[in-house]
Amino acid sequence: MSACVRIRHDHTAHSSPPSRASGIKRPHSPPPPRRGGRFRIAGADLSASITVFLIAVPMSLGLAVAMDAPLEAGLISAAVGGIVAGLLGGTPLQVSGPSAGLTVVTAELIQIYGWRTTCAITIGAGLLQILLGSLRAARGALAVSPAIVHGTLAGIGVAIALAQLHIVLGASPQSSAAANALALPEQLGRTSPAAPLIGALTIAVLVAWPRLPGRIGRAVRRLPAALASVAIATAVAAVAAPGIARVDLPSWRSHALPEPPQGPVLALATAVLTVLLVASLESLLAAVAVDKLTADRAGGRTADCSPPASDAPAAPRVQRSDLDRELRGQGIANVLAGLLGGLPVSGGAVRSSANVRAGATGRAATVLHGVWVLLAAGLLVTALEWIPLAALAALVMVVGFQMVNYAHIRNVHKHREFLVYGATITGVVLFGVLEGVAIGIAVAVAVALHRLARTRITVTDQGGRHLVVVRGQLTFLAVPRLSRALGQLPRDGDAVVELDGFFMDHAAYETIQDWSDAQTAQGGHVVFTGRSGGRIAEPASAAHSCCRPWTPWRNHHCHDRPDRSGQPVDARRAAATWAAFALDENPGADQGPAGSAEADARAVDVTGAADATAGATGRSDTPGDGAAVPRRTGAHRLASGLSSFQRNTAPLVRDELARLAREGQRPSQLFITCADSRLVTSMITASGPGDLFTVRNVGNLVPPPGAEAGDDSVGAAIEYAVDVLKVESITVCGHSGCGAMQALMGTRPDTPPTSLWRWLRHGLPSLERMTSRHHAWARISGRLPADEVEQLCLTNVVQQLDHLRAHESVARRLAEGALQLHGMYFHVGEAQAYLLAEGASAGSGVDEVFDRVGPCDPNHAHPYDITHLSDPTSLTALGDPGDHAAVSVPTGAVGPADPTGSGELERTSA
């Protein structure tokens, strides 16, 4: 579970809304319009642009080396991608530049057609991107199977790593990935140590830089790892290996520009389509990833949705990506890059994620990064020529390895698509990108057809009754085997057909229907069920009208709702079932898969028999008779609930409960709350099996250790949870309208010493605390409690936390800093939870304030997890202005209403 408490600013009820001219934006309101269309640059954008620039320069040079392209072409693409795609693209925070995914494709095009024709191919691909973006086809590109996309990128990464390994070893790469792999043993035998050592140093710094510990490590980690690794390798090479091969930037005067393409038209068209496919998919996938990163950062929240520190500024909201506009922007950037003699451009995940994490707020960071690259290309030529080629090759080799993402492999394996993933990788490495994509699509289609045709049919004899289990989709391809299996059953026997699939075509339906008709005509009895055991012939309204599992508990008493006959639905179904067994149901009745009219009539007749039986006993369930629907007995309610669980919920939780049974319970929280039936802990905390270790008693009381006539069961549960289960937090939860608190306020000295009275004595300290002058009254979300009962409910939570701290095991874990205590109050009528301020929960705060828990963005948080609140005392989670209205407290044990309206009430003597 995770949690998030919405931060709301503390405005008074009479505060006026901020004016439009003030520059302050209301929450969830659109940004104010730009004045005069000026291009605004925030300080965060400036710093983020420098961070991305420091990553982009070595990356662009390294990719140019990997493609065997002119080195200045990489800088041109970085500048054009940053400025043009940054201004015109549909993803404000995405940073475009030379594409790692196009490394293998571009290198092959340069070898076949030369550099100038490759630039023309880049222009053609850009024009097609503009066309597709104008036709709004960007979303269609995301329809490609993720296994094929990730397999393509992983195959490209393998090819990049194999090629760059030869440069790290001081040689030149071969023409293909297979040739690079075959030539590697020979290259290892005749390599010189200088280049491999510089490459190894670059990789070591890349890996270790983000993991530098301590205060110094935090300071130096602000410098990007890519720049740090290349700078250190350059400095070491300048001293230890002055003769190593370095970057050679030719004069801009000799830079080659595109020429009209020359070659077979079909081959050139294939090359353009390949560049279009890879560049577009990489850009669109990166845009989706940027949206996710930006959403995690939205509102100042962290990835786990815990609130930021009180002094941390909220991150600005950034508009979601317009993928069609992004595709058009990438196309214009590719056209311009090709015209200027640059590499193909696409959105890059590495640069874009760095831009988001650096705090960029808009397009200015992306555009400025391109400006800095352009200035570096003209002013830092001498410095760039000191960089060893082995360092750039090692940098790009690590990028290639990172494209083989283990998380992607695990994901495609979980979805049983690893065969498609592996086939795509193999095709890309052995034959090329376009061929690998075609192989992946072919394998994906074959796998889909195999799954569609793979239907398992088993027949089991269960002592005179046959069980036929059909697993998979029922199509015409499975009809021969299905007909053969059904034909082997006795003509006059009973059969249960369990259909476990999501699709049945017309041929399969007719086969089953014809067999069912023939079976029942010859005296057999056929029942069709789903995997959960419910009859398929039952009306959907009866089986699944409500009580759907894993949904909020709305209408969870639907089994008590009367149907048209006046009986509760579940009661009517149960009566029909039992009457059918009692009357020896006619075996010749028809129950086809769709439910026939005869079957429905029989159900009515059976129910009528049950109604007649009820009438004979003097009971009438028909509303027309003026009688109310009878309340079901506890035994029947229990049986009905268990049946509903087995039918609807058990299939969904069986795997999770099996895992918990194997691994044992490891809850993170001990939850102490009242035994009140209206308080459903799993619902209000959005928790599931294994999350909470719950203790429930009358009044959510925690007897202090050694108390007279104490109850050791609560203390035992606390010791077990703290010492054995090692829970991280303990929550004491009270609630509104608590009957225990009402009974406690009504106790008198002559109250008989019953079991309830002896238990409620543990709440007397709460009553004394409420009437004492030495303790501040608890407040709830900016207001005073509604009445004295609510005041006692709140005070009782605070007092029981004091009792908790008196337990030896709790005190020891608190001293170690391994345990947290939390107070919680749940208003039943409002369905609203409140959390006690952290200082009061820890026993160090003066004000006992219960702050309202607001709803959170469902994409990033669950409604409840008090363990992730960093500083609830700094949050002013106030509700509507009406929450601040004065509330009169009845006179009595608490005290009179405050005549001054200051919010403080006079107290009576203890």
mmCIF file of all heavy atoms in Angstrom, residues 81 86 107 183 232 246 258 267 271 337 367 380 399 415 506 579 635 695 707 759 777 786 847 859 868 884:
data_model
loop_
_atom_site.group_PDB
_atom_site.id
_atom_site.type_symbol
_atom_site.label_atom_id
_atom_site.label_comp_id
_atom_site.label_asym_id
_atom_site.label_seq_id
_atom_site.Cartn_x
_atom_site.Cartn_y
_atom_site.Cartn_z
ATOM 1 N N GLY A 81 17.864 18.614 -33.436
ATOM 2 C CA GLY A 81 16.857 17.924 -32.635
ATOM 3 C C GLY A 81 16.423 18.744 -31.438
ATOM 4 O O GLY A 81 15.235 18.790 -31.089
ATOM 5 N N GLY A 86 12.362 20.533 -30.429
ATOM 6 C CA GLY A 86 11.941 21.114 -29.156
ATOM 7 C C GLY A 86 10.881 22.182 -29.334
ATOM 8 O O GLY A 86 9.955 22.297 -28.530
ATOM 9 N N ALA A 107 24.609 3.008 -40.072
ATOM 10 C CA ALA A 107 25.936 2.489 -40.435
ATOM 11 C C ALA A 107 25.868 1.641 -41.692
ATOM 12 O O ALA A 107 26.733 1.739 -42.580
ATOM 13 C CB ALA A 107 26.508 1.677 -39.277
ATOM 14 N N ALA A 183 34.609 -12.171 -35.673
ATOM 15 C CA ALA A 183 35.962 -11.616 -35.695
ATOM 16 C C ALA A 183 36.483 -11.272 -34.316
ATOM 17 O O ALA A 183 37.650 -10.895 -34.174
ATOM 18 C CB ALA A 183 35.981 -10.367 -36.577
ATOM 19 N N ILE A 232 37.257 12.091 -17.415
ATOM 20 C CA ILE A 232 38.324 11.386 -16.694
ATOM 21 C C ILE A 232 39.153 10.544 -17.651
ATOM 22 O O ILE A 232 40.385 10.519 -17.577
ATOM 23 C CB ILE A 232 37.705 10.523 -15.575
ATOM 24 C CG1 ILE A 232 37.074 11.422 -14.505
ATOM 25 C CG2 ILE A 232 38.740 9.599 -14.963
ATOM 26 C CD1 ILE A 232 36.341 10.663 -13.423
ATOM 27 N N ARG A 246 42.167 9.554 -31.360
ATOM 28 C CA ARG A 246 41.287 10.552 -30.765
ATOM 29 C C ARG A 246 40.280 11.057 -31.792
ATOM 30 O O ARG A 246 40.335 10.714 -32.981
ATOM 31 C CB ARG A 246 42.099 11.720 -30.205
ATOM 32 C CG ARG A 246 43.142 11.318 -29.180
ATOM 33 C CD ARG A 246 43.945 12.528 -28.699
ATOM 34 N NE ARG A 246 45.076 12.122 -27.851
ATOM 35 C CZ ARG A 246 44.990 11.876 -26.558
ATOM 36 N NH1 ARG A 246 43.825 12.032 -25.944
ATOM 37 N NH2 ARG A 246 46.044 11.497 -25.866
ATOM 38 N N PRO A 258 23.788 16.646 -48.630
ATOM 39 C CA PRO A 258 23.117 15.555 -49.359
ATOM 40 C C PRO A 258 23.164 15.746 -50.863
ATOM 41 O O PRO A 258 23.344 16.851 -51.367
ATOM 42 C CB PRO A 258 21.689 15.609 -48.822
ATOM 43 C CG PRO A 258 21.511 17.005 -48.349
ATOM 44 C CD PRO A 258 22.852 17.414 -47.798
ATOM 45 N N ALA A 267 15.272 -0.655 -53.277
ATOM 46 C CA ALA A 267 16.190 -0.678 -52.136
ATOM 47 C C ALA A 267 16.177 0.651 -51.395
ATOM 48 O O ALA A 267 16.202 0.692 -50.156
ATOM 49 C CB ALA A 267 17.602 -1.017 -52.613
ATOM 50 N N ALA A 271 15.027 1.394 -47.543
ATOM 51 C CA ALA A 271 15.860 2.120 -46.576
ATOM 52 C C ALA A 271 15.081 3.259 -45.929
ATOM 53 O O ALA A 271 15.151 3.477 -44.711
ATOM 54 C CB ALA A 271 17.109 2.654 -47.286
ATOM 55 N N ALA A 337 17.808 18.154 -40.618
ATOM 56 C CA ALA A 337 19.082 17.485 -40.328
ATOM 57 C C ALA A 337 19.681 16.883 -41.591
ATOM 58 O O ALA A 337 20.898 16.965 -41.824
ATOM 59 C CB ALA A 337 18.875 16.409 -39.263
ATOM 60 N N VAL A 367 15.276 23.432 -26.055
ATOM 61 C CA VAL A 367 15.794 24.348 -27.073
ATOM 62 C C VAL A 367 17.160 24.889 -26.666
ATOM 63 O O VAL A 367 18.098 24.964 -27.488
ATOM 64 C CB VAL A 367 14.793 25.491 -27.306
ATOM 65 C CG1 VAL A 367 15.357 26.512 -28.279
ATOM 66 C CG2 VAL A 367 13.470 24.939 -27.833
ATOM 67 N N LEU A 380 34.341 24.878 -29.294
ATOM 68 C CA LEU A 380 35.086 23.907 -28.478
ATOM 69 C C LEU A 380 35.685 22.789 -29.307
ATOM 70 O O LEU A 380 35.854 21.668 -28.823
ATOM 71 C CB LEU A 380 34.140 23.305 -27.413
ATOM 72 C CG LEU A 380 33.507 24.291 -26.432
ATOM 73 C CD1 LEU A 380 32.587 23.555 -25.478
ATOM 74 C CD2 LEU A 380 34.592 25.042 -25.650
ATOM 75 N N VAL A 399 25.460 2.105 -23.582
ATOM 76 C CA VAL A 399 24.105 2.425 -24.034
ATOM 77 C C VAL A 399 23.488 1.234 -24.756
ATOM 78 O O VAL A 399 22.301 0.909 -24.572
ATOM 79 C CB VAL A 399 24.118 3.668 -24.936
ATOM 80 C CG1 VAL A 399 22.737 3.915 -25.539
ATOM 81 C CG2 VAL A 399 24.571 4.894 -24.165
ATOM 82 N N HIS A 415 3.932 -12.277 -19.934
ATOM 83 C CA HIS A 415 2.795 -12.303 -20.854
ATOM 84 C C HIS A 415 2.945 -13.378 -21.925
ATOM 85 O O HIS A 415 2.228 -13.349 -22.932
ATOM 86 C CB HIS A 415 2.638 -10.937 -21.523
ATOM 87 C CG HIS A 415 2.206 -9.868 -20.582
ATOM 88 N ND1 HIS A 415 0.905 -9.739 -20.156
ATOM 89 C CD2 HIS A 415 2.895 -8.884 -19.954
ATOM 90 C CE1 HIS A 415 0.801 -8.714 -19.318
ATOM 91 N NE2 HIS A 415 1.990 -8.179 -19.180
ATOM 92 N N HIS A 506 -19.527 -19.796 -34.267
ATOM 93 C CA HIS A 506 -20.821 -20.392 -34.576
ATOM 94 C C HIS A 506 -20.713 -21.902 -34.774
ATOM 95 O O HIS A 506 -21.624 -22.670 -34.376
ATOM 96 C CB HIS A 506 -21.392 -19.729 -35.832
ATOM 97 C CG HIS A 506 -22.809 -20.114 -36.128
ATOM 98 N ND1 HIS A 506 -23.866 -19.730 -35.333
ATOM 99 C CD2 HIS A 506 -23.343 -20.881 -37.129
ATOM 100 C CE1 HIS A 506 -24.996 -20.227 -35.825
ATOM 101 N NE2 HIS A 506 -24.702 -20.920 -36.909
ATOM 102 N N ALA A 579 -35.351 -27.338 -3.388
ATOM 103 C CA ALA A 579 -36.587 -27.984 -3.801
ATOM 104 C C ALA A 579 -36.353 -28.955 -4.944
ATOM 105 O O ALA A 579 -36.999 -30.001 -5.040
ATOM 106 C CB ALA A 579 -37.624 -26.928 -4.210
ATOM 107 N N ALA A 635 -27.457 -18.009 9.832
ATOM 108 C CA ALA A 635 -26.839 -19.154 9.166
ATOM 109 C C ALA A 635 -26.965 -19.029 7.658
ATOM 110 O O ALA A 635 -26.023 -19.311 6.911
ATOM 111 C CB ALA A 635 -27.486 -20.457 9.654
ATOM 112 N N VAL A 695 -6.118 -6.038 15.371
ATOM 113 C CA VAL A 695 -6.659 -6.342 16.698
ATOM 114 C C VAL A 695 -7.910 -5.498 16.869
ATOM 115 O O VAL A 695 -7.859 -4.272 16.764
ATOM 116 C CB VAL A 695 -5.641 -6.028 17.810
ATOM 117 C CG1 VAL A 695 -6.286 -6.217 19.182
ATOM 118 C CG2 VAL A 695 -4.410 -6.910 17.678
ATOM 119 N N ALA A 707 -1.984 -3.464 34.236
ATOM 120 C CA ALA A 707 -3.226 -2.875 34.727
ATOM 121 C C ALA A 707 -4.026 -3.906 35.490
ATOM 122 O O ALA A 707 -4.018 -5.101 35.177
ATOM 123 C CB ALA A 707 -4.049 -2.341 33.558
ATOM 124 N N TRP A 759 -14.078 -4.191 31.324
ATOM 125 C CA TRP A 759 -13.261 -3.853 30.151
ATOM 126 C C TRP A 759 -13.214 -2.353 29.918
ATOM 127 O O TRP A 759 -12.163 -1.784 29.611
ATOM 128 C CB TRP A 759 -13.796 -4.564 28.917
ATOM 129 C CG TRP A 759 -13.129 -4.127 27.648
ATOM 130 C CD1 TRP A 759 -13.636 -3.340 26.682
ATOM 131 C CD2 TRP A 759 -11.794 -4.426 27.244
ATOM 132 N NE1 TRP A 759 -12.732 -3.125 25.685
ATOM 133 C CE2 TRP A 759 -11.574 -3.785 26.008
ATOM 134 C CE3 TRP A 759 -10.760 -5.175 27.795
ATOM 135 C CZ2 TRP A 759 -10.374 -3.874 25.334
ATOM 136 C CZ3 TRP A 759 -9.561 -5.267 27.113
ATOM 137 C CH2 TRP A 759 -9.378 -4.621 25.897
ATOM 138 N N TRP A 777 -7.443 20.106 24.044
ATOM 139 C CA TRP A 777 -8.505 19.351 23.395
ATOM 140 C C TRP A 777 -8.100 18.971 21.976
ATOM 141 O O TRP A 777 -7.442 19.724 21.266
ATOM 142 C CB TRP A 777 -9.776 20.181 23.360
ATOM 143 C CG TRP A 777 -10.620 19.996 24.579
ATOM 144 C CD1 TRP A 777 -10.538 18.989 25.488
ATOM 145 C CD2 TRP A 777 -11.655 20.852 25.015
ATOM 146 N NE1 TRP A 777 -11.457 19.151 26.470
ATOM 147 C CE2 TRP A 777 -12.175 20.293 26.216
ATOM 148 C CE3 TRP A 777 -12.204 22.042 24.537
ATOM 149 C CZ2 TRP A 777 -13.211 20.873 26.913
ATOM 150 C CZ3 TRP A 777 -13.237 22.606 25.234
ATOM 151 C CH2 TRP A 777 -13.742 22.032 26.418
ATOM 152 N N ALA A 786 -17.881 17.800 17.090
ATOM 153 C CA ALA A 786 -19.292 18.130 17.001
ATOM 154 C C ALA A 786 -19.980 18.029 18.354
ATOM 155 O O ALA A 786 -20.895 18.804 18.653
ATOM 156 C CB ALA A 786 -19.987 17.223 15.986
ATOM 157 N N ASP A 847 -0.324 20.226 20.111
ATOM 158 C CA ASP A 847 -1.670 20.242 19.547
ATOM 159 C C ASP A 847 -2.045 18.848 19.068
ATOM 160 O O ASP A 847 -1.283 18.193 18.354
ATOM 161 C CB ASP A 847 -1.753 21.222 18.379
ATOM 162 C CG ASP A 847 -1.573 22.661 18.835
ATOM 163 O OD1 ASP A 847 -1.900 22.937 20.003
ATOM 164 O OD2 ASP A 847 -1.092 23.480 18.027
ATOM 165 N N ASN A 859 -3.503 7.252 -10.388
ATOM 166 C CA ASN A 859 -2.394 6.701 -11.160
ATOM 167 C C ASN A 859 -1.137 6.558 -10.337
ATOM 168 O O ASN A 859 -0.180 5.917 -10.754
ATOM 169 C CB ASN A 859 -2.093 7.595 -12.374
ATOM 170 C CG ASN A 859 -3.214 7.568 -13.371
ATOM 171 O OD1 ASN A 859 -3.874 6.551 -13.531
ATOM 172 N ND2 ASN A 859 -3.441 8.676 -14.039
ATOM 173 N N HIS A 868 3.953 6.444 4.980
ATOM 174 C CA HIS A 868 4.716 7.253 4.040
ATOM 175 C C HIS A 868 4.545 8.744 4.267
ATOM 176 O O HIS A 868 5.032 9.539 3.479
ATOM 177 C CB HIS A 868 4.306 6.907 2.601
ATOM 178 C CG HIS A 868 4.795 5.580 2.165
ATOM 179 N ND1 HIS A 868 4.119 4.413 2.463
ATOM 180 C CD2 HIS A 868 5.891 5.209 1.470
ATOM 181 C CE1 HIS A 868 4.760 3.388 1.947
ATOM 182 N NE2 HIS A 868 5.834 3.842 1.339
ATOM 183 N N HIS A 884 -14.864 25.464 8.614
ATOM 184 C CA HIS A 884 -14.294 26.400 9.580
ATOM 185 C C HIS A 884 -15.362 27.085 10.421
ATOM 186 O O HIS A 884 -15.059 27.926 11.244
ATOM 187 C CB HIS A 884 -13.479 27.465 8.849
ATOM 188 C CG HIS A 884 -12.449 26.869 7.950
ATOM 189 N ND1 HIS A 884 -11.274 26.347 8.400
ATOM 190 C CD2 HIS A 884 -12.442 26.684 6.598
ATOM 191 C CE1 HIS A 884 -10.562 25.885 7.391
ATOM 192 N NE2 HIS A 884 -11.244 26.070 6.288
#
